[in-house]
């Protein structure tokens, strides 16, 4: 167990009831009402969905990767990368740490790291994502642990679990590797639009990185729930790894398509601010997670976002006499506040900025 004297306890009066893990402890045969999605949002698990034929791109050849990435960003907003430079053992260890925390650590110890449930994107162990009033928000069938890793001024490993002994070291190393990969990819994405390599990264400014481990326990009625509701990510670029269970779906051409896991590949998701910066030429990926009756699922998403004060607008190089801005300028912090308070509902927050 986690040594209590080495961590700062969080108030947990109502926290236990809000964790999916706690809900499933009693072996309930039905899903509590707060997790039941409205009929129009429920997944059709009788038709599991066609496999999404998103590209798998080899990063060992930058020239061929540039063209392939441009096409993937235009058509999918998502792609897998292989030969990405992140050590395979680090990907495996990161997933193993997540499973160890969620499956082996007693709930009372996990709750010592509880998120601030009144604040959006607070660091630690949580379940509820949106800030709407109690009863107004359908809950996702997911528990998570969020780590703040960049800028270094936000990184405080004492907020992360002590066990296993290498947990904090691995999260730091993983964050460093993912930041390098994100910067490389933003450079290639810029060049694929004939922009200078640094264009998107300069538009984003200092990168704010969060690493979120998501754990989806087995669900007694997966046809009524979602592990993660339909949304596109708020920031610039997301790098995702997942286990072999699967459950991620992408929305394309009015259909939900399943994304099969690829061992040791990293899934790249274009996020909303990159869609704005590219003036809508490249699309952010609308996605969701479905649940599973028999197996738990784990994924690790690494988000790379602008600072809250950054002003995001279409790149000037892409605007000309015959090309008007597709999106209004937005202060990223205001965008985040809207996302968390109103809810994503697909891409409605991005659509609200259309000119």
């Amino acid at each position: 167990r986690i040594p209590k004297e080495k961590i700062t306890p969080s108030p947990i009066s109502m926290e236990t009831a809000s964790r999916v893990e706690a809900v499933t402890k009693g072996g309930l045969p039905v899903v509590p009402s707060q997790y039941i999605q409205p009929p129009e949002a429920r997944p059709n698990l009788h038709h599991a969905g066609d496999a999404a034929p998103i590209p798998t791109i080899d990063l060992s050849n930058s020239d061929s990767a540039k063209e392939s990435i441009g096409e993937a960003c235009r058509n999918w907003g998502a792609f897998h990368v292989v030969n990405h430079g992140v050590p395979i053992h680090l990907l495996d260890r990161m997933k193993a740490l997540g499973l160890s925390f969620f499956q082996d650590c007693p709930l009372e110890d996990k709750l010592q790291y509880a998120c601030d449930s009144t604040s959006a994107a607070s660091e630690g162990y949580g379940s509820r994502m949106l800030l709407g009033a109690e009863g107004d928000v359908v809950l996702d069938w997911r528990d998570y642990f969020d780590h703040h890793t960049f800028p270094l001024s936000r990184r405080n490993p004492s907020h992360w679990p002590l066990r296993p002994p290498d947990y904090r070291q691995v999260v730091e190393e993983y964050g460093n590797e993912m930041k390098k990969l994100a910067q490389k990819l933003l450079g290639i994405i810029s060049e694929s639009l004939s922009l200078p390599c640094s264009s998107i990264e300069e538009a984003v400014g200092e990168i704010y990185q969060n690493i979120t481990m998501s754990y989806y326990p087995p669900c007694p009625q997966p046809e009524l729930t979602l592990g993660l509701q339909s949304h596109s990510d708020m920031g610039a670029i997301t790098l995702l790894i997942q286990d072999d269970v699967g459950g991620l779906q992408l929305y394309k051409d009015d259909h939900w398509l399943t994304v099969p896991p690829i061992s040791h590949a990293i899934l790249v998701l274009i996020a909303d601010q990159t869609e704005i910066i590219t003036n809508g030429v490249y699309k952010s990926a609308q996605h969701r997670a479905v649940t599973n009756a028999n197996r738990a699922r784990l994924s690790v998403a690494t988000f790379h976002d602008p600072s809250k004060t950054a002003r995001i607008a279409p790149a000037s190089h892409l605007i000309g006499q015959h090309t008007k801005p597709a999106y209004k300028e937005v202060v990223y912090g205001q965008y985040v506040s809207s996302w968390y308070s109103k809810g994503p509902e697909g891409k409605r927050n991005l659509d609200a900025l259309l000119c």
Side-chain angles (χ1 to χ4, degrees):
R1 288 199 173 194
I2 299 168
K4 298 293 194 296
E5 70 275 11
K6 293 194 177 182
I7 54 181
T8 303
S10 300
I12 59 174
S13 57
M14 295 299 292
E15 290 292 341
T16 303
S18 68
R19 298 295 184 271
V20 179
E21 176 185 349
V23 171
T24 60
K25 282 290 187 201
L28 291 176
V30 296
V31 170
S33 60
Q34 64 266 37
Y35 295 95
I36 297 177
Q37 293 287 332
E40 66 275 10
R42 295 174 194 169
N44 180 4
L45 298 179
H46 300 294
H47 174 66
D50 298 324
I54 64 172
T56 298
I57 298 171
D58 186 339
L59 287 187
S60 62
N61 185 328
S62 295
D63 289 336
S64 62
K66 181 167 66 176
E67 184 176 342
S68 300
I69 284 175
E71 185 176 346
C73 291
R74 190 174 285 108
N75 295 325
W76 287 96
F79 50 94
H80 283 109
V81 290
V82 294
N83 291 321
H84 41 64
V86 181
I88 298 304
H89 71 84
L90 187 59
L91 302 180
D92 289 339
R93 187 61 187 148
M94 193 68 183
K95 288 185 285 188
L97 289 178
L99 282 177
S100 177
F101 176 79
F102 289 109
Q103 295 185 340
D104 301 335
C105 181
L107 179 60
E108 64 189 72
D109 289 350
K110 285 200 280 280
L111 288 170
Q112 301 297 326
Y113 296 101
C115 288
D116 176 1
S117 60
T118 65
S119 175
S122 67
E123 187 168 35
Y125 172 57
S127 189
R128 182 185 175 92
M129 181 171 62
L130 301 178
L131 298 178
E134 289 286 345
D136 290 348
V137 176
V138 179
L139 299 180
D140 295 328
W141 194 263
R142 174 186 77 133
D143 292 332
Y144 61 83
F145 199 109
D146 188 43
H147 313 73
H148 293 177
T149 41
F150 279 103
L152 291 177
S153 59
R154 298 170 71 233
R155 184 186 292 185
N156 186 348
S158 68
H159 293 166
W160 310 338
L162 276 169
R163 298 288 181 268
D166 62 341
Y167 189 108
R168 296 174 177 181
Q169 175 188 340
V170 170
V171 170
E172 286 196 24
E173 185 180 348
Y174 187 82
N176 294 341
E177 291 288 339
M178 286 289 156
K179 184 183 178 188
K180 285 193 295 186
L181 179 57
Q183 290 171 316
K184 177 178 181 176
L185 288 165
L186 290 175
I188 296 173
I189 291 168
S190 295
E191 290 179 334
S192 72
L193 284 169
S194 299
L195 297 173
C197 177
S198 60
S199 290
I200 295 177
E201 191 175 350
E202 287 178 357
V204 169
E206 185 172 27
I207 284 179
Y208 279 62
Q209 184 194 72
N210 284 22
I211 300 174
T212 302
M213 297 173 172
S214 293
Y215 183 71
Y216 307 90
C219 178
Q221 294 177 295
E223 70 280 2
L224 299 180
T225 62
L226 286 172
L228 200 56
Q229 66 181 281
S230 171
H231 69 288
S232 53
D233 293 338
M234 293 175 279
I237 194 170
T238 303
L239 305 178
L240 181 85
I241 60 173
Q242 53 179 331
D243 62 17
D244 64 349
V245 175
L248 182 68
Q249 295 187 330
L250 283 182
Y251 191 68
K252 179 173 169 58
D253 300 331
D254 299 323
H255 294 287
W256 285 105
L257 302 173
T258 298
V259 181
I262 298 178
S263 179
H264 299 137
I266 296 173
L267 180 67
V268 181
L269 297 169
I270 301 303
D272 290 347
Q273 306 314 302
T274 296
E275 178 165 337
I276 293 172
I277 293 166
T278 64
N279 204 36
V281 177
Y282 291 169
K283 305 298 184 185
S284 59
Q286 185 175 339
H287 56 285
R288 70 182 185 184
V290 297
T291 58
N292 187 299
N294 303 311
R295 298 180 66 188
R297 173 175 176 256
L298 181 95
S299 66
V300 184
T302 307
F303 303 97
H304 299 88
D305 304 337
S307 74
K308 295 291 180 64
T309 58
R311 306 185 76 89
I312 305 296
S316 59
H317 291 73
L318 299 177
I319 306 302
Q321 182 178 356
H322 303 293
T323 306
K324 303 300 181 187
Y327 294 97
K328 306 180 188 78
E329 183 181 80
V330 66
V331 176
Y332 183 63
Q334 295 174 2
Y335 190 86
V336 171
S337 296
S338 174
W339 199 100
Y340 277 113
S341 59
K342 296 178 182 177
E345 287 191 16
K347 297 176 69 168
R348 73 169 176 181
N349 293 292
L350 185 59
D351 292 342
L353 295 175
L354 286 167
C355 293

